[in-house]
């Protein structure tokens, strides 16, 4: 039987390959081939029928969405940054930041909605059975509140006493700043729908688990392939995995912290110092070579192995292995950046220091950690050149340095990749927009959405203009200073990059940002002005990221056929709630949470604060200029321009559909500095099992359960982390061999005997 399945899978793969070859040979259009690849994912999940009269934005949906929005807005955290990505809200202060998926609202609102539909009297409170459209809008309100306002990092950076401790920062001027940076993205999102939402090839793999979950709750019809699988319903399967993951999460997060990072190389007592450095997955020390994790929160939210297409996971894995396991150690042992010995918390048994390769903090010329405020003017937080001259040059770890190089590479690689592979499509869509031709290629979802009134583009443009004016006010009257020309400049940058980066996210699920270019340009223009650089970075980056986040939501509405007006109304309401709750979470975390304890090292916020010093106070001229030890990192821009040409030339010389899967921008998605480095091996094992083996040899099971499994793991572990965090404030588990007092003890500790745990 297994042999038969293998033969069928191989035959199916061959048929798919031949079809893609034919499409490319006939048209040379990569989007055609992408659409074929996307179709097999979408058709097994997304419904192709619709009832336009089904209730959507009902009062009960709005109330439930509001309640979940408040909860997620307060507790949620975003992935920590490379020198890059956002990390807002209470959970962002964790050493390993974790996001409680908005799927929590989906899970809990379903039985509540069913219950309300049964007990409430018919009318405005109860328009009838709880529909999938109402369910989606509950999720949209909650998801918008638990979104990603990058400006929260500005709030933390300026208010937190361990950072700038700016007394001018208040709760309400922070709310005004965050709200403005969030709202501008709506205007861009509406004007890019014909590029990023309507084309079938823009299938947004990151949203498919969400769509699958809604369908599993409400859809009763299944394909013949799925029917053959039998077993539990999707809904029952979701609950089973949810319960199991909730119980399991107590092991790595509470009872046995060692399972967060099982550093295999360090289990051998004869391991040399070099082997222990390479094997260590500590958030401060090594690169985690062959280390594995039994904690879903360490790798599931970052690499998303169950929802990311297999070819993308291969790109991730190859890049992380090359950069983290090869380039970073070479940079350290050959001292490419002329670093002093950076002092860390651990040492070997002979007293020699344990190398510090993986920290987002800054260090002075003696190798000691330094707080950038030491060389700031306390009046406006600009550079005090006299104080800086006394401590310069400033250094950071090899991992932090190389991660900057990959960020430089990502900037140019994203543009080059899109120009080479998608230029025809962008030109065609631009001509259609100018000619006001709204017809896309035949697609069932585009046809079904014609039943609903659309929001005209002039309304999005007006919204954009209003909030742009508000940003002028923010930059002038609040502590988040930004010149008027910086407001205009940031919008231009976001507008230029939104479509190219949106195409990458819409086809791979990978999110690229404008952190580096915003820091670089403003750092060159506003030399030494820390606040202006930090604000411009958040503003310019957040415009595009918010736009693409809203666009991803619009794609969910497109797949599930939600009235666009209802979609935008839900997003706006959720965003307003989120801004207030996100800002409040900063005050709560700083005042009440055990910051600076091992589980609460606020790694993402530390990265943003360090970046403010690098690009703002010190400036790119000093830090990355010809006289800097990090000047060579600028080669990342050049390599980013050149490397995407290699697969493109290969495709031209030896035509094959798989060349487009060698995606250089995707390869810049490297595990963040300061993160527990045990995710690389583990995520790839999980991706190989489910996105290759199960997808290929048991596609029916994959179609029925895979995305539901992804959502259930996120939800179960997310709720468990929340409960465990509250318990840990009152209960401490004694140190033991499986719960050592320091992270990754078997690599970073002085010995491995068990007597200390007796």
């Amino acid at each position: 039987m297994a042999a038969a399945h293998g033969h069928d899978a191989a035959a199916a793969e061959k048929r798919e390959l031949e079809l893609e070859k034919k499409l490319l040979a006939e048209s040379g259009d990569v989007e055609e081939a992408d659409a074929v690849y996307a179709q097999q994912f979408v058709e097994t999940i997304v419904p192709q029928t619709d009832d336009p009269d089904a209730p959507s934005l009902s009062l009960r949906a709005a109330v439930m969405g509001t309640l979940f929005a408040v909860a997620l807005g307060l507790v949620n955290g975003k992935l920590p940054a490379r020198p890059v990505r956002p990390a807002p809200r209470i959970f962002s202060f964790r050493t390993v930041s974790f996001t409680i998926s908005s799927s929590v609202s989906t899970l809990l609102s379903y039985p509540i909605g069913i219950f309300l539909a049964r007990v409430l009297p018919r009318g405005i409170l109860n328009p009838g059975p709880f529909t999938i459209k109402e369910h989606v809008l509950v999720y949209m309100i909650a998801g918008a509140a638990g979104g990603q306002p990058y400006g929260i990092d500005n709030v933390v950076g300026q208010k937190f006493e361990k950072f700038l401790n700016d007394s001018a920062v208040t709760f309400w001027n922070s709310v005004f700043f965050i709200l403005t940076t969030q709202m501008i993205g709506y205007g861009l999102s509406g004007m890019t729908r014909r590029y990023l939402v309507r084309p079938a090839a823009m299938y947004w793999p990151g949203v498919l688990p969400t769509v699958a979950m809604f369908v599993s709750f409400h859809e009763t019809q299944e394909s013949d392939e799925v029917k053959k699988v039998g077993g539990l319903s999707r809904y029952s399967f979701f609950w089973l995995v949810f319960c199991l993951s909730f119980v399991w999460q107590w092991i790595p997060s509470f009872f046995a912290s060692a399972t967060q990072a099982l550093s295999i190389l360090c289990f051998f007592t004869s391991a040399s110092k070099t082997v222990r450095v390479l094997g260590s997955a500590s958030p401060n020390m090594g690169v985690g070579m062959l280390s594995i994790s039994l904690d879903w929160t360490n790798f599931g939210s970052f690499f998303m192995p169950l929802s990311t297409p297999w070819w993308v996971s291969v790109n991730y894995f190859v890049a992380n292995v090359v950069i983290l396991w090869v380039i970073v150690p070479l940079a350290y042992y050959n001292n490419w950046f002329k670093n002093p010995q950076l002092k860390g918390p651990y040492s070997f048994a002979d007293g020699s220091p344990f190398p510090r390769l993986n920290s987002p903090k800054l260090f002075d010329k003696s190798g000691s950690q330094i707080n950038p405020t030491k060389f700031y003017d306390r009046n406006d937080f600009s550079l005090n050149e006299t104080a800086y001259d006394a401590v310069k040059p400033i250094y950071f770890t090899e991992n932090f340095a190389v991660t900057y190089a990959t960020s430089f590479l990502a900037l140019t690689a994203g543009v080059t990749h899109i120009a080479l592979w998608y230029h025809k499509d962008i030109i065609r869509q631009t001509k259609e927009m100018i000619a006001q031709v709204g017809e896309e290629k035949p697609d069932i979802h585009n046809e079904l959405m014609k039943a609903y009134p659309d929001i005209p583009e002039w309304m999005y443009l007006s919204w954009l203009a209003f909030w742009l004016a508000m940003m002028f006010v923010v930059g002038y009257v609040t502590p988040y200073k930004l010149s008027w020309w910086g407001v205009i400049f940031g919008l231009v940058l976001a507008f230029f990059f939104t479509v190219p980066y949106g195409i990458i996210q819409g086809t791979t699920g990978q999110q690229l940002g404008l952190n580096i270019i915003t820091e670089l340009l403003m750092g060159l223009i506003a030399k030494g002005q820390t606040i202006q650089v930090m604000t411009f970075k958040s503003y310019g980056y957040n415009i595009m990221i918010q736009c693409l986040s809203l666009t991803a939501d619009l794609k969910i509405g497109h797949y599930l056929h939600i009235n666009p007006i209802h979609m935008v109304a839900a997003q706006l309401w959720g965003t307003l709630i989120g801004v207030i709750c996100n800002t409040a979470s900063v005050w709560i975390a700083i005042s009440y949470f055990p910051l600076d304890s091992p589980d609460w090292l606020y790694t993402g916020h530390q990265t943003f604060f360090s970046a403010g010093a690098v690009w703002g106070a010190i400036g790119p001229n000093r830090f990355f200029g010809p006289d800097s030890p990090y000047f060579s990192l600028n080669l990342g821009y050049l390599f980013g321009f050149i490397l995407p040409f290699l697969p493109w030339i290969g495709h031209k010389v030896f035509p094959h559909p798989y060349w487009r899967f060698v995606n250089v921008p995707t390869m810049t998605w490297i595990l963040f500095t300061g993160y527990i480095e045990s995710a690389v091996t583990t995520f790839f094992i999980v991706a190989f099992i489910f996105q290759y083996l199960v997808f290929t040899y048991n596609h029916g099971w994959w179609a029925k359960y895979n995305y539901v499994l992804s959502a259930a793991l996120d939800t179960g572990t997310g709720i468990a982390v929340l409960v465990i965090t509250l318990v840990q404030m009152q209960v401490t588990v004694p140190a033991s061999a499986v719960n050592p007092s320091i992270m990754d003890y078997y690599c970073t500790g002085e010995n491995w005997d068990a007597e200390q745990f007796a």
Side-chain angles (χ1 to χ4, degrees):
M1 183 65 71
H5 280 302
H7 177 75
D8 292 344
E13 184 177 2
K14 183 177 180 181
R15 288 194 300 271
E16 176 193 341
L17 180 59
E18 291 302 321
L19 176 60
E20 292 191 6
K21 284 182 176 179
K22 181 180 178 181
L23 284 169
L24 287 172
E26 290 176 351
S27 66
D29 192 342
V30 175
E31 185 186 355
E32 296 273 6
D34 282 347
V36 171
Y37 187 83
Q39 185 177 20
Q40 62 186 311
F41 287 89
V42 175
E43 285 186 348
T44 59
I45 298 167
V46 181
Q48 299 189 13
T49 59
D50 180 41
D51 177 10
D53 296 324
S56 54
L57 191 57
S58 64
L59 181 59
R60 68 186 174 200
V63 171
M64 285 191 289
T66 299
L67 294 175
F68 289 114
V70 171
L72 289 176
L74 284 172
V75 305
N76 238 352
K78 186 63 181 170
L79 291 173
R82 24 169 143 186
V84 307
R85 290 181 171 72
R89 299 166 299 282
I90 288 176
F91 272 4
S92 70
F93 287 86
R94 293 182 75 228
T95 303
V96 178
S97 180
F98 181 70
T99 299
I100 294 182
S101 171
S102 299
S103 301
V104 172
S105 63
T106 308
L107 167 70
L108 299 180
S109 65
Y110 180 73
I112 296 173
I114 297 296
F115 174 76
L116 294 178
R118 290 177 179 173
V119 302
L120 292 177
R122 279 299 186 94
I124 189 172
L125 297 177
N126 182 9
F130 186 59
T131 68
I132 189 172
K133 298 185 181 186
E134 290 179 284
H135 203 180
V136 171
L137 291 175
V138 172
Y139 166 84
M140 289 299 165
I141 296 171
Q148 46 187 349
Y150 196 73
I152 286 291
D153 270 321
N154 284 78
V155 177
V156 177
Q158 290 185 231
K159 175 177 174 56
F160 191 24
E161 63 180 12
K162 298 294 181 68
F163 296 156
L164 294 184
N165 194 22
D166 186 353
S167 60
V169 172
T170 68
F171 179 81
W172 288 111
N173 62 35
S174 299
V175 166
F176 189 26
F177 167 62
I178 298 299
L179 181 63
T180 304
T181 59
Q182 286 287 83
M183 289 299 183
I184 292 177
Y186 282 92
L188 286 179
S189 178
M191 291 186 290
T192 58
R193 291 169 296 171
R194 65 180 64 247
Y195 295 91
L196 304 177
V197 176
R198 293 167 186 160
M202 298 296 105
Y203 72 113
W204 291 81
V207 309
L208 290 180
T210 302
V211 174
M213 184 163 52
F214 286 119
V215 172
S216 70
F217 287 166
H218 296 271
E219 186 63 58
T220 57
Q221 298 295 320
E222 294 182 330
S223 66
D224 292 337
E225 182 184 35
V226 171
K227 287 179 180 178
K228 292 178 182 178
V229 176
L232 297 173
S233 67
R234 286 188 176 103
Y235 185 66
S236 298
F237 182 78
F238 181 94
W239 276 104
L240 175 62
V241 176
F242 169 84
C243 293
L244 292 175
S245 60
F246 178 88
V247 173
W248 172 261
Q249 189 60 36
W250 286 79
I251 296 177
S253 294
F254 192 71
F255 294 107
S257 60
T259 58
Q260 293 181 16
L262 298 173
S263 303
I264 297 174
L265 295 181
C266 299
F267 288 170
F268 301 96
T269 56
S270 60
S272 66
K273 291 181 179 180
T274 300
V275 169
R276 289 170 64 184
V277 172
L278 296 178
S280 171
S282 168
N284 275 293
M285 301 297 112
V287 296
M289 182 181 293
L290 299 180
S291 176
I292 62 175
S293 175
L294 301 183
D295 184 352
W296 175 260
T297 67
N298 280 2
F299 63 91
S301 289
F302 187 91
F303 289 113
M304 297 185 294
L306 296 179
S307 60
T308 301
W310 168 239
W311 68 271
V312 177
S313 291
V314 172
N315 278 268
Y316 286 168
F317 182 70
V318 170
N320 276 268
V321 166
V322 171
I323 292 174
L324 295 180
W325 297 357
V326 178
I327 294 179
V328 169
L330 284 176
Y332 172 75
Y333 285 107
N334 291 286
N335 200 11
W336 288 353
F337 308 118
K338 310 303 180 186
N339 281 8
Q341 179 68 52
L342 304 183
K343 298 174 183 178
Y346 309 135
S347 61
F348 292 109
D350 62 6
S352 59
F354 198 104
R356 192 170 190 175
L357 278 66
N358 181 34
S359 172
K361 297 183 178 181
L362 302 180
F363 301 85
D364 62 22
K365 55 191 174 185
S366 72
S368 299
Q369 183 179 312
I370 185 172
N371 189 321
T373 56
K374 187 172 183 178
F375 48 83
Y376 285 170
D377 184 325
R378 295 301 302 176
N379 295 316
D380 61 1
F381 306 106
S382 60
L383 181 68
N384 181 327
E385 295 197 22
T386 302
Y388 174 72
D389 288 341
V391 297
K392 70 177 184 182
I394 301 299
Y395 296 91
F396 44 37
T397 61
E398 284 74 14
N399 195 353
F400 203 10
V402 172
T403 303
Y404 262 118
T406 64
S407 297
F408 299 163
L409 189 150
L411 180 66
T412 50
V415 177
T416 304
H417 177 85
I418 294 300
L420 292 173
W421 292 96
Y422 291 96
H423 64 282
K424 291 182 180 179
D425 181 54
I426 292 176
I427 293 172
R428 179 172 60 250
Q429 294 283 13
T430 302
K431 289 179 178 178
E432 289 180 355
M433 183 173 65
I434 293 174
Q436 296 184 342
V437 177
E439 298 296 328
E440 274 73 26
K441 297 178 181 179
D443 177 76
I444 183 62
H445 305 294
N446 286 327
E447 293 299 315
L448 292 173
M449 288 300 291
K450 291 179 180 179
Y452 303 98
D454 200 6
I455 300 175
E457 290 177 355
W458 69 263
M459 291 189 67
Y460 283 106
L461 186 60
S462 299
W463 182 268
L464 176 64
F466 173 80
W467 285 103
L468 189 65
M470 291 298 100
M471 191 64 208
F472 288 127
V473 177
V474 168
Y476 183 75
V477 305
T478 74
Y480 307 101
K481 300 298 182 183
L482 184 61
S483 302
W484 64 268
W485 54 265
V487 175
I488 298 174
F489 188 29
L491 179 64
V492 171
L493 282 178
F495 186 83
F496 179 78
F497 283 98
T498 291
V499 170
Y501 280 12
I503 289 175
I504 292 175
Q505 190 171 345
T507 55
T508 69
Q510 179 199 8
Q511 185 182 87
L512 299 176
L514 297 181
N515 309 60
I516 295 302
I517 193 170
T518 53
E519 291 173 314
L520 172 63
L521 295 176
M522 186 54 78
L524 290 172
I525 298 170
K527 297 179 181 180
Q529 301 301 309
T530 308
I531 300 298
Q532 176 129 263
V533 172
M534 290 170 62
T535 301
F536 182 78
K537 172 185 176 180
S538 295
Y539 162 70
Y541 172 86
N542 197 77
I543 292 174
M544 189 192 76
I545 289 302
Q546 175 72 343
C547 169
L548 295 182
S549 176
L550 297 168
T551 301
D553 285 349
L554 291 178
K555 190 66 177 185
I556 295 175
H558 190 77
Y559 277 148
L560 296 176
H561 319 120
I562 312 290
N563 187 323
I565 297 175
H566 293 179
M567 283 288 300
V568 173
Q571 290 175 323
L572 287 172
W573 178 237
T575 299
L576 178 60
I577 295 171
V579 167
I580 296 174
C581 292
N582 294 166
T583 309
S585 72
V586 175
W587 267 254
I588 294 171
I590 291 175
S591 300
Y592 300 107
F593 274 64
L595 303 185
D596 289 310
S597 64
D599 289 332
W600 295 91
L601 296 179
Y602 45 90
T603 306
H605 296 302
Q606 177 65 60
T607 301
F608 185 91
F609 181 58
S610 296
V614 169
W615 297 96
I618 301 172
N621 277 332
R622 291 186 178 92
F623 211 95
F624 299 104
D627 298 328
S628 165
Y630 301 107
F631 179 63
S632 61
L633 298 179
N634 291 292
L635 290 173
Y637 297 115
L638 178 62
F639 283 121
F641 174 76
I642 295 174
L643 291 178
F645 278 92
L646 300 182
W648 184 77
I649 293 172
H651 168 69
K652 294 295 183 182
V653 177
F654 305 103
H656 194 290
Y658 287 178
W659 278 112
R660 76 183 189 281
F661 294 150
V662 183
N663 190 302
V664 176
T666 300
M667 291 183 179
T668 63
W669 190 248
I670 306 301
L671 206 60
F672 297 150
T673 303
Y675 212 67
I676 296 177
E677 304 282 298
S678 57
V680 176
T681 305
T682 315
F683 104 85
F684 189 70
I685 293 172
V686 174
F688 176 72
I689 292 172
F690 289 95
Q691 293 293 77
Y692 180 74
L693 292 180
V694 177
F695 177 85
T696 304
Y697 298 104
N698 196 349
H699 192 266
W701 190 98
W702 183 92
K704 184 174 184 178
Y705 293 129
N706 182 74
Y707 290 119
V708 180
L709 175 63
S710 178
L713 286 170
D714 282 345
T715 307
T717 56
I719 292 180
V721 167
L722 176 60
V723 174
I724 292 166
T725 299
L726 298 176
V727 172
Q728 285 177 326
M729 291 183 178
Q730 303 296 327
V731 180
T732 301
V733 177
S736 67
V738 296
N739 189 46
S741 57
I742 60 175
M743 168 61 65
D744 200 18
Y745 181 83
Y746 300 96
C747 287
T748 59
E750 295 184 6
N751 56 64
W752 295 266
D753 64 86
E755 294 181 2
Q756 61 194 304
F757 301 122

